[in-house]
Amino acid sequence: MKKETKDLLEELKSVADDFYQNRNNKGIKRMPEIIRDLSDFMTCLKSEEQPEYLAILKGVMEAMETKNYIMLADMLVFDVVEVMERY
């Protein structure tokens, strides 16, 4: 696994922890950079893996829009990390 991917995985877990600990403002401030990094990561995926990843990112954005921060944290930790670990 590339160092950048490992760093992003740690950042995802850290942001999710912010949401789990009800430090929502801190987590929200970090999300734009996370979203950019997750979008960049998608370019590393095979074309057949991209639709699943895109669906997960859409769910992440919807959780942000509805301010469902626990769901957002769960998606980051379980869904996004799972795809990234397969990479």
Side-chain angles (χ1 to χ4, degrees):
M1 187 180 294
K2 293 182 181 178
K3 181 186 182 321
E4 298 86 24
T5 305
K6 285 184 180 180
D7 291 345
L8 181 53
L9 285 171
E10 291 304 315
E11 185 70 12
L12 287 171
K13 292 173 184 175
S14 175
V15 169
D17 189 55
D18 286 337
F19 291 123
Y20 287 136
Q21 299 300 322
N22 204 27
R23 296 185 301 252
N24 297 331
N25 288 336
K26 184 177 179 185
I28 291 165
K29 286 180 184 176
R30 297 168 69 189
M31 283 306 295
E33 183 177 343
I34 293 285
I35 297 295
R36 275 192 301 278
D37 291 344
L38 292 176
S39 295
D40 290 344
F41 175 79
M42 190 171 76
T43 63
C44 300
L45 297 175
K46 296 176 186 170
S47 59
E48 61 268 12
E49 296 171 319
Q50 290 182 359
E52 174 192 9
Y53 188 72
L54 259 162
I56 292 168
L57 289 184
K58 184 179 178 187
V60 166
M61 296 302 290
E62 288 172 4
M64 284 178 59
E65 288 172 9
T66 60
K67 299 180 181 179
N68 190 339
Y69 299 123
I70 297 300
M71 179 201 265
L72 175 58
D74 284 348
M75 293 183 80
L76 292 174
V77 170
F78 299 110
D79 299 332
V80 177
V81 168
E82 179 184 318
V83 171
M84 293 183 74
E85 286 178 338
R86 276 189 262 148
Y87 168 75

